[in-house]
Amino acid sequence: MWWNIFSSKACQLLRALGTVMVLIVLGVIGLTYYTTVVVVYGPLAGQDNSDGKFAKGVLVVYHALILMVLWSYFACVLTEPGRVPDSWQPPPEDEEEEAAETCKSNSEKRRRFCRKCTQWKPERCHHCSVCGRCVLKMDHHCVWIANCVGAYNYKFFLLFLLYTFLATVFDAIVLLSNFVDFFKDLEARREAGSPSPLGPDIPEAQQQQQEHRTGEEQTRGTGMAVVFVTFVLDVAFAASLLGFIIMHANLNLSNMT
């Protein structure tokens, strides 16, 4: 009894977190876009040199990958995973098949009945406690897309994993030099020490120069901190997505999706 109550509460929590998880995913994508386009490569793209040409190439590839990530993600979120038709009935079976089916568990039977939905279930169809219904070829309920992964959106789910992996790897590569500069900047600040405080004995022109230099350092420090966070997120997501891609590739090759 206690397990059923706990499972019910957990399903309600996952159902309530659906919109929040979608906003978190869009927030992470927005962070990588801000770092790569606005902070790092957007200002470089306006230069007429080799760095400007390289930045333009990076922006073209990055935007193409992000568009594919967003398309596949919203396709996962908005596509119906697979609903069992209300009038669906399993094919009739003869007496020998009926006798053989009685010796099998409910998950192994060809004719399966869902007590929660009070209807028959086709093969590879499972009941999702979060969605509250049976889903055709249900793989799992993914909290990141606030939807089940089933017969009709499984392709989009695999594409989302692949495009996100490529985007995070590409973003980590193009931000690697800035990530290294983050630690070089920390080391340079540590060696230089803290700047002298402003006081009344310092000339006004020197005070203005020092204030301007301090503002530039703060802006650069904020940008470097954003690059650091984005790079760490890229590497973490790329590593985890690689495991998911390998797992689903093995499932597809063995026809166990």
Side-chain angles (χ1 to χ4, degrees):
M1 179 65 69
W2 66 270
W3 172 252
N4 293 332
I5 297 176
F6 175 78
S7 177
S8 176
K9 295 295 183 182
C11 293
Q12 292 177 4
L13 178 62
L14 291 176
R15 197 178 301 116
L17 286 177
T19 305
V20 176
M21 300 306 292
V22 172
L23 292 177
I24 290 176
V25 172
L26 295 179
V28 173
I29 295 175
L31 174 63
T32 63
Y33 186 90
Y34 172 77
T35 303
T36 307
V37 177
V38 179
V39 176
V40 180
Y41 287 99
L44 292 177
Q47 300 179 5
D48 293 331
N49 51 27
S50 58
D51 291 339
K53 294 179 180 179
F54 177 75
K56 292 176 182 177
V58 168
L59 292 177
V60 170
V61 177
Y62 178 79
H63 278 90
L65 288 173
I66 285 298
L67 286 176
M68 298 308 294
V69 168
L70 291 174
W71 167 76
S72 58
Y73 179 71
F74 282 109
C76 288
V77 174
L78 301 177
T79 301
E80 164 63 42
R83 184 182 296 272
V84 181
D86 296 333
S87 59
W88 185 85
Q89 293 287 335
E93 58 185 4
D94 53 29
E95 295 181 358
E96 293 183 0
E97 290 181 345
E98 185 177 357
E101 291 288 304
T102 56
C103 301
K104 298 179 180 179
S105 62
N106 187 51
S107 60
E108 295 174 338
K109 292 179 180 179
R110 295 183 60 185
R111 295 170 59 90
R112 297 182 302 149
F113 190 81
C114 180
R115 296 185 179 88
K116 296 181 180 179
C117 297
T118 63
Q119 66 178 8
W120 293 99
K121 296 193 296 184
E123 292 186 62
R124 297 190 179 185
C125 178
H126 301 282
H127 184 86
C128 176
S129 299
V130 180
C131 297
R133 60 185 175 89
C134 289
V135 178
L136 295 174
K137 291 187 66 176
M138 176 183 172
D139 188 85
H140 68 288
H141 184 91
C142 181
V143 295
W144 296 104
I145 66 174
N147 197 5
C148 275
V149 178
Y152 299 143
N153 64 348
Y154 184 73
K155 178 185 74 173
F156 300 124
F157 178 73
L158 291 182
L159 290 175
F160 172 64
L161 293 181
L162 179 61
Y163 288 134
T164 307
F165 174 74
L166 294 176
T168 52
V169 170
F170 177 78
D171 199 42
I173 292 174
V174 298
L175 293 179
L176 179 60
S177 60
N178 301 89
F179 179 75
V180 175
D181 291 340
F182 173 82
F183 292 98
K184 291 182 179 179
D185 187 65
L186 288 179
E187 185 66 24
R189 289 186 179 186
R190 190 179 297 110
E191 292 178 355
S194 59
S196 58
L198 299 177
D201 297 335
I202 300 179
E204 183 177 356
Q206 186 176 351
Q207 287 185 9
Q208 293 179 353
Q209 292 179 357
Q210 190 167 346
E211 289 176 354
H212 180 69
R213 192 182 304 113
T214 302
E216 289 182 346
E217 291 179 353
Q218 290 177 351
T219 303
R220 173 178 169 80
T222 302
M224 297 302 293
V226 172
V227 169
F228 174 82
V229 173
T230 304
F231 182 86
V232 172
L233 287 176
D234 284 334
V235 174
F237 277 108
S240 60
L241 289 172
L242 180 60
F244 276 109
I245 292 173
I246 294 175
M247 181 186 70
H248 282 279
N250 291 330
L251 291 175
N252 278 275
L253 293 175
S254 57
N255 194 25
M256 294 178 63
T257 58

